[in-house]
Amino acid sequence: MNWSGLENLLSGVNKYSTAFGRIWLSMVFVFRVMVFVVAAQRVWGDESKDFVCNTKQPGCNNVCYDHIFPISHIRLWALQLIFVTCPSLMVMAHVKYREGKDRKYMAGHQGSHLYANPGKKRGGLWWTYLVSLVFKAGFDTSFLYILYRIYHGYDLPKLSKCSLAPCPNTVDCFISRPTEKKIFMLFMVVSSAICILMCILEMIYLIGKRILKMINIRNENQRVVFADQHELTAITPPRSQYRRADPTLAESQLSLSKREKTEGRQKTTLL
Amino acid sequence: MSWPALYAQLVGTNRHSTSLGKVWLSVLFIFRVMVLVVAAESVWGDEQSDFTCNTLQPGCENVCYDQFFPVSHIRLWSLQLVFVSTPTLLVSMYVAYRNHCDKRRILQGQEEELESLKKRRLPIAGALWWTYLCSLVFKMMFEGGFMYALYVVYDGFQMPRLVQCDQWPCPNLVDCFVSRPTEKTIFTIFMATASSICMVLNLAELAYLVEEGTGREEKPAAGRER
């Protein structure tokens, strides 16, 4: 299992994501995983070997390195990328569960479906998707915060002073390639921040769409209730009210329709 | 995600590129990515371990190396290649969006129609033309930007054999020797040349696209005149 295995696993999630989600996934894999694998890992490759302290005391190098780098940036980023990409698997699991339920229903009810489209974000799946977004943003933020705390604000000093045993006194220790490391750290921090922003935008989009839908449904219902409760009356009164009887006209000439005329003639003959 | 995966992604968009775009993709992957992975990385592999300063002072080598090589060539080229490949993904995102819209319209269509939708080649017109144009402009900007950055950081494309450094904790002005300077210069010039060729290809593609776009607008006007 490596990064390409993870990518294959997550490529199936694209079907059930919004447009924001697809862009987010591309961003993560192109700008973060790829830059991590292709460039950043090499920069940190020799960090332990080329960490040099101004002393010949055996063990001092090791102890100072361990004090300055409790966990290497590379390992933190690898963990961050794994944690950040995994909540999408929750959505996939939910969709697979729905498909399984649908299949069981089909088997029992002669081919009729329980879910018209198991991948559509309705009901429980909408909540799962929202929770996965919250987790993604949460993991990214917490890893950024951990990096900030461990390295005192994304700082990589060229020189650090160390006075732990067995170092004889305060020794100067020099990191390898501090400028290059700082450049890549900034790059990874900025891309994490962009990904967090995209998650937040996606959440706003999802919630906004849902609220809009609910408002539309409510308006529609109100219209139906209004139509039910009020009797529909004609806006204009029937035509005969507007007809002013001409006193000079004969009885037979008063009505305009042939039916009324024949009825009127019948009435007079009956009389 | 690595170079082969990126290549697979970009080859998928080849269907919607012009022929110059296809040539550009081949030049990118054969002459730049492959050379980077297969050759250049081994040349720069021992850059720090074989960077030697004429002093035994611990820390002097680290500090001098950091002063003269703030960003390694290899990292700059890897970033350049990643950034230059990304605008093509813009085009593939747009094509995917178009396919998604069309799929909704022919929802009741048969299976063959949906399959032909995936395999069809959209003509480069309208919004796709603008997307393609934007992607070309971004590609050229990234190429130019990274080449300029390399030129500025290393004061040209030549790797010096000797650099002199007097940063603390070096006791005085020490001589530091870069490992394999000639080989590095050759590869730097090679990558710069390949980058310029890619920029020229992008320019040619831009000109071709603009010509095709304006030609299409004139043709219906000519038809109307008749």
Side-chain angles (χ1 to χ4, degrees):
Chain A
M1 185 72 175
N2 52 9
W3 293 113
S4 31
L6 187 69
E7 205 206 332
N8 286 338
L9 210 63
L10 288 165
S11 56
V13 169
N14 255 345
K15 274 182 278 173
Y16 315 118
S17 313
T18 61
F20 281 109
R22 292 189 192 123
I23 298 174
W24 178 90
L25 200 72
S26 316
M27 248 220 82
V28 167
F29 273 100
V30 173
F31 285 104
R32 292 172 72 181
V33 176
M34 181 142 186
V35 168
F36 173 83
V37 167
V38 154
Q41 263 186 327
R42 318 273 164 123
V43 178
W44 268 264
D46 56 6
E47 55 178 328
S48 179
K49 273 185 276 123
D50 280 333
F51 180 79
V52 162
C53 288
N54 190 2
T55 177
K56 278 192 160 208
Q57 171 64 44
C60 183
N61 259 19
N62 292 27
V63 161
C64 290
Y65 178 81
D66 189 59
H67 175 73
I68 295 168
F69 296 104
I71 177 167
S72 172
H73 295 74
I74 290 288
R75 257 67 72 183
L76 259 180
W77 288 329
L79 282 174
Q80 181 177 10
L81 289 167
I82 292 172
F83 273 87
V84 150
T85 44
C86 286
S88 311
L89 296 174
M90 265 166 51
V91 175
M92 256 175 69
H94 195 147
V95 173
K96 290 268 174 326
Y97 167 73
R98 270 191 177 185
E99 283 173 356
K101 246 171 79 172
D102 195 40
R103 250 176 283 137
K104 280 198 195 140
Y105 187 84
M106 255 172 65
H109 290 81
Q110 294 111 9
S112 65
H113 282 272
L114 182 62
Y115 293 108
N117 182 1
K120 197 97 172 99
K121 286 189 279 292
R122 296 246 162 87
L125 189 63
W126 187 88
W127 283 104
T128 309
Y129 195 80
L130 193 72
V131 164
S132 82
L133 284 176
V134 169
F135 273 131
K136 275 189 227 178
F139 283 139
D140 246 335
T141 316
S142 28
F143 272 96
L144 275 185
Y145 178 69
I146 290 171
L147 191 74
Y148 185 87
R149 283 303 297 267
I150 293 180
Y151 291 103
H152 313 294
Y154 308 130
D155 189 31
L156 256 169
K158 283 188 194 172
L159 160 76
S160 359
K161 293 192 191 279
C162 168
S163 53
L164 297 164
C167 302
N169 45 30
T170 303
V171 296
D172 296 328
C173 293
F174 300 92
I175 309 173
S176 81
R177 310 185 210 240
T179 314
E180 206 168 359
K181 285 181 179 162
K182 221 178 286 192
I183 291 174
F184 274 95
M185 174 139 77
L186 275 172
F187 184 89
M188 295 298 267
V189 165
V190 165
S191 48
S192 307
I194 294 176
C195 285
I196 294 172
L197 190 70
M198 285 184 62
C199 277
I200 294 174
L201 283 174
E202 202 179 350
M203 278 194 264
I204 294 173
Y205 166 76
L206 224 64
I207 296 173
K209 213 167 118 176
R210 179 76 162 232
I211 291 177
L212 226 73
K213 203 165 91 166
M214 286 177 134
I215 291 177
N216 280 344
I217 292 175
R218 201 165 57 117
N219 284 348
E220 193 59 45
N221 285 347
Q222 279 180 351
R223 231 178 280 145
V224 165
V225 162
F226 185 86
D228 272 345
Q229 285 175 349
H230 292 77
E231 223 179 84
L232 294 170
T233 55
I235 297 170
T236 56
R239 217 168 158 193
S240 54
Q241 267 194 326
Y242 280 102
R243 233 181 11 181
R244 279 175 303 167
D246 187 350
T248 62
L249 282 176
E251 186 75 40
S252 58
Q253 284 169 314
L254 278 171
S255 94
L256 291 168
S257 73
K258 201 170 182 185
R259 193 153 160 257
E260 276 184 24
K261 279 191 198 160
T262 49
E263 271 176 5
R265 249 184 273 128
Q266 276 173 355
K267 263 197 224 147
T268 48
T269 48
L270 280 167
L271 283 165
Chain B
M1 188 71 173
S2 56
W3 297 117
L6 188 68
Y7 180 70
Q9 285 259 45
L10 293 176
V11 149
T13 54
N14 245 353
R15 222 181 304 139
H16 300 100
S17 319
T18 61
S19 23
L20 278 169
K22 291 172 186 146
V23 170
W24 173 87
L25 192 72
S26 315
V27 168
L28 187 81
F29 272 91
I30 296 173
F31 291 102
R32 295 171 75 184
V33 176
M34 185 150 175
V35 165
L36 181 84
V37 169
V38 158
E41 272 181 1
S42 3
V43 175
W44 267 267
D46 56 4
E47 58 177 330
Q48 188 167 18
S49 44
D50 279 342
F51 181 79
T52 325
C53 287
N54 190 3
T55 178
L56 279 176
Q57 171 65 44
C60 181
E61 269 178 17
N62 287 29
V63 161
C64 290
Y65 179 84
D66 188 60
Q67 187 190 12
F68 286 101
F69 300 101
V71 183
S72 172
H73 290 70
I74 294 282
R75 254 68 69 184
L76 265 179
W77 288 328
S78 306
L79 279 178
Q80 181 179 13
L81 291 167
V82 168
F83 272 85
V84 151
S85 318
T86 317
T88 316
L89 295 177
L90 244 180
V91 174
S92 72
M93 272 196 239
Y94 174 75
V95 167
Y97 166 72
R98 271 278 288 271
N99 281 348
H100 178 74
C101 287
D102 291 346
K103 201 159 63 160
R104 274 199 182 163
R105 259 187 271 133
I106 56 164
L107 210 62
Q108 295 95 0
Q110 295 89 9
E111 273 305 309
E112 310 99 58
E113 277 193 53
L114 288 170
E115 276 304 305
S116 69
L117 192 83
K118 283 189 197 145
K119 294 202 183 80
R120 71 171 173 184
R121 185 186 184 276
L122 287 166
I124 304 180
L128 182 63
W129 187 89
W130 282 105
T131 313
Y132 203 84
L133 199 81
C134 279
S135 79
L136 281 175
V137 168
F138 275 121
K139 271 188 227 180
M140 287 201 292
M141 265 169 51
F142 286 138
E143 291 267 23
F146 273 96
M147 277 229 289
Y148 179 70
L150 189 78
Y151 190 87
V152 160
V153 167
Y154 289 101
D155 280 324
F157 294 127
Q158 197 181 15
M159 187 67 89
R161 276 196 189 145
L162 162 77
V163 292
Q164 293 186 313
C165 164
D166 63 352
Q167 277 235 323
W168 187 88
C170 303
N172 45 31
L173 191 73
V174 296
D175 294 332
C176 294
F177 300 91
V178 176
S179 81
R180 312 183 209 234
T182 315
E183 207 169 357
K184 286 180 180 166
T185 309
I186 291 172
F187 272 98
T188 310
I189 294 177
F190 182 91
M191 293 297 268
T193 315
S195 183
S196 334
I197 292 174
C198 283
M199 263 189 35
V200 165
L201 281 170
N202 280 336
L203 260 169
E205 209 180 346
L206 193 75
Y208 169 76
L209 222 66
V210 166
E211 198 204 313
E212 209 199 341
T214 49
R216 221 181 302 118
E217 281 171 21
E218 283 172 9
K219 255 187 266 168
R224 259 183 266 128
E225 276 176 25
R226 262 189 266 130

